[in-house]
Amino acid sequence: MKITYENLIKFDNIAARWLKNLNNENTKLGYAIKKVSKKITVLLKPVSELDEQLQIDVEDIRSDNALTDPTTKAFIYDLVGEVRHYKYTPETRKKRDNEIRIKIKQYNVDVEKLLSQEIEFTTPYFATEIPKDLTLEEKDAFKEIVIKK
């Protein structure tokens, strides 16, 4: 079947919340969810790669705009409590903030495209027993992934 990344994430989030109840974890549906979640984690790798790339790009922007000592070329830091932060001039701070804003806008566009993308998904396992107390949200998220139609 075809499924969007967005629906895989929805399943993953709702399944994780559902499994937090220990009574749910030790059911046939809990078993199916854990088994399918392993496959979904692999399928969601492009989404996590986008997140990781944003983190890398933002850190690069911060360091590119940070002040350095003219002699040693070492970064200059502000100490906030026990945490060191790069130091900036008002101009470099403004440049940094603008570059980060642009990077995040592009990231949001890329994520939106990726989330709407459909991929082929074949469930490795359907639950053979379904608890009667599933909410509509849970039924909808689990349908065709761990619960047969």
Side-chain angles (χ1 to χ4, degrees):
M1 81 173 190
K2 296 260 187 206
I3 190 167
T4 63
Y5 282 106
E6 184 172 26
N7 285 336
L8 285 176
I9 291 170
K10 179 181 171 186
F11 166 85
D12 204 39
N13 290 336
I14 292 171
R17 191 173 62 225
W18 190 83
L19 285 173
K20 281 187 180 175
N21 179 333
L22 292 179
N23 295 329
N24 292 341
E25 185 178 356
N26 296 315
T27 64
K28 290 186 177 184
L29 179 58
Y31 174 81
I33 287 171
K34 287 185 275 184
K35 188 167 180 122
V36 170
S37 289
K38 289 177 185 176
K39 181 175 182 176
I40 287 176
T41 299
V42 172
L43 291 174
L44 289 176
K45 192 168 170 62
V47 177
S48 59
E49 286 173 348
L50 270 179
D51 291 344
E52 290 170 18
Q53 189 59 52
L54 175 65
Q55 297 289 329
I56 291 167
D57 291 347
V58 167
E59 186 55 32
D60 288 348
I61 291 168
R62 287 183 178 132
S63 67
D64 287 349
N65 289 286
L67 292 176
T68 56
D69 181 282
T71 307
T72 65
K73 303 299 181 201
F75 288 114
I76 300 173
Y77 296 98
D78 276 332
L79 193 59
V80 180
E82 293 183 20
V83 180
R84 295 184 333 170
H85 297 278
Y86 294 127
K87 190 170 186 144
Y88 303 93
T89 66
E91 295 79 23
T92 60
R93 177 174 280 112
K94 187 175 181 179
K95 184 175 183 283
R96 175 206 65 192
D97 291 348
N98 188 46
E99 289 176 14
I100 290 173
R101 233 183 325 278
I102 291 167
K103 183 56 68 180
I104 290 173
K105 279 183 185 177
Q106 183 57 53
Y107 165 82
N108 289 336
V109 168
D110 294 344
V111 166
E112 201 170 304
K113 268 193 250 178
L114 184 61
L115 291 181
S116 64
Q117 224 177 48
E118 286 190 332
I119 60 168
E120 193 60 42
F121 178 80
T122 306
T123 190
Y125 187 82
F126 285 111
T128 56
E129 289 179 9
I130 311 304
K132 301 285 185 223
D133 62 347
L134 289 179
T135 66
L136 285 174
E137 180 188 41
E138 291 164 345
K139 286 178 187 174
D140 183 52
F142 299 164
K143 183 178 59 189
E144 296 184 50
I145 298 176
V146 290
I147 298 175
K148 286 186 182 180
K149 259 187 174 180

